[in-house]
Amino acid sequence: MLDDSLSSSSQLDSPRFTPLRLTSRRRRLVVTSAAVLSVISILVLAYLSSSRPLLLVPQDPILPPKDDTPPLDRKSVLLGPPTGRFRDNLRNDTKYITSWISAGWTNDVMTYGNLIYLATLTERVPIIGPFTPSHIGGDAGNVLFGDVFDIDYLSEKIGMPVLEWHEVKNLSTPEIEDIGCWSVWQAVQVRESTPRGTNALNLQGLDISFTAGPKWLQKIPGYEHDPHAHFWSIASLLYSPAREESLIPPQPSEVHGALLPPDEHLACFDYLYYVCAHTSFEYQQDMSPAWRFVTQHFRWTNRLQSIADGYLRRMLSVPDDEPIPPYIAIHARRARDFLVYCNGQNKEYCFPSIATYQRRIEEIQEETRERLGIFPQHVVMLSDEEESDWWDSIRAVGWYAPDHVAEDTVNKYGKWYPVLIDAVIQSSGIGLIGMDGSTMSLLAGRRVQDWHNGVFKNIKWGSPDADDH
Ligand SMILES: Nc1nc2c(ncn2[C@@H]2O[C@H](COP(=O)(O)OP(=O)(O)OP(=O)(O)O)[C@@H](O)[C@H]2O)c(=O)[nH]1
Ligand SMILES: *[C@@H]1O[C@H](CO)[C@@H](O)[C@H](O)[C@H]1NC(C)=O
Ligand SMILES: *[C@@H]1O[C@H](CO)[C@@H](O)[C@H](O)[C@H]1NC(C)=O
Ligand SMILES: [Mg+2]
């Protein structure tokens, strides 16, 4: 039991995150999960063979392993509480990695997923920033990663502590510190000559001196239509000889004009959205290792899940002591960029009709009935649509929708919460009908598949017969 002796030794002398411990944790997890799964399947079979319908949607069919391993102490990879300078809080026997976000919320979730997956590949502790409100409206303010996702659960699942910036450094009026980082962005695209913009200076007081990554980072060097890089190409910059071979003169930092090579203690990259193991936009593929090894373990915090459950109960008139019935959610992007893609066609022509949705609903009902013995009756619509006529037409066919105006969601919880609550509802049913091309649909669909063993179907759009099949 090498790992147990390791974990019981002094926290400062031996950080709990070691490859040895990881392996053993994973093995136990697999064995325990297999045991738990077989018990669950027997129970489910017994349940199905009885005549009662299966009502409850299991929120998490795979229970956390019950063993004597103490919970992973994330903070053990820091010297103590947040310090004025991040460097004063990093352990000298531990390496770290960070990066930043700069797109819509779901893209940013995927980007943090990529960062954490890269962290596991390079055995570095990831330090994560907040979500910034690029598409929500600047006055929404930032929301902490840990207010949306259960960061302790995530750390347990991946066997590695995940830190947030505010846990490392006192950010109240962040002291400006110089650091050297790699720019992946300068290497993978030709439209901009500068590194991808980050919020590092504002948020963390980091004054970055960038070193442009080598051109071979780009999957297809010089190809202007695909800025993807491979995880391992980026990872190689953290090791010899790729690091030394790629060092070129750094660019001066914005505030101090500092010239620094990429930091080795805290590795940092400007932007990691366009990263894949094999295929560009890989989250669309079942093989996506970032999804399978990391992002699928981004579970909603208990608080956020119970807020969303409250909306579902009121919407579907389910009393507190009864389970929420399995339902089919629809995510309909109908505004902003998706409206632009309609090229001036009206929405009735361009976006899926109720009849088109109905066909997909029936397909999902058929599949869950056959495969799970569940026949979901309720349909819940989530959308960025603002026209009340359309919402009326949705309610007229008996479908449900959260009413963020009547519920006063923005005043009660803040501007982030209509979209956060809708995202939770999208991912908590037994089926999801998504909007082809939407990453928000994509992640919700993967959650329905992998968390609830449910069905995900994307709907094609652009003309009335686009989804014919
Ligand atoms: N309340 C609510 N807002 C939505 C919904 N779908 C989209 N939106 C809003 O529309 C914005 C879409 O812009 P992005 O931020 O680019 O969305 P994304 O998360 O990157 O996902 P996609 O653009 O769909 O790939 C979201 O941030 C939300 O503000 C929804 O189902 N409910
Ligand atoms: C690492 O830090 C510990 C205290 O946290 C200190 O005792 C030790 O000397 C340091 N080692 C090096 C190589 O700096
Ligand atoms: C952060 O710094 C501010 C002022 O610089 C101080 O008032 C506050 O107590 C510090 N917070 C923590 C958690 O150390
Ligand atoms: Mg978007």
Side-chain angles (χ1 to χ4, degrees), residues 111-229:
T111 301
Y112 281 146
N114 289 346
L115 164 62
I116 298 170
Y117 180 57
L118 186 61
T120 65
L121 296 182
T122 58
E123 298 173 286
R124 287 170 172 266
V125 171
I127 308 179
I128 310 295
F131 291 114
T132 49
S134 52
H135 293 50
I136 311 270
D139 58 335
N142 301 330
V143 62
L144 291 179
F145 181 91
D147 285 345
V148 179
F149 298 115
D150 185 336
I151 203 165
D152 290 319
Y153 176 91
L154 168 66
S155 301
E156 283 290 336
K157 278 295 194 186
I158 66 174
M160 173 192 255
V162 176
L163 297 174
E164 290 189 272
W165 263 107
H166 69 92
E167 299 172 319
V168 179
K169 172 167 174 163
N170 184 340
L171 302 177
S172 58
T173 42
E175 191 175 321
I176 296 185
E177 291 173 83
D178 303 342
I179 185 170
C181 297
W182 289 105
S183 171
V184 175
W185 192 239
Q186 284 178 301
V188 297
Q189 50 82 50
V190 289
R191 249 165 277 173
E192 295 167 21
S193 60
T194 51
R196 184 83 176 198
T198 76
N199 276 319
L201 186 58
N202 279 333
L203 294 176
Q204 290 105 21
L206 300 178
D207 188 26
I208 305 176
S209 168
F210 279 106
T211 297
K215 287 291 172 195
W216 52 254
L217 276 184
Q218 191 180 3
K219 220 178 131 194
I220 310 168
Y223 179 58
E224 62 179 325
H225 301 295
D226 187 353
H228 276 80

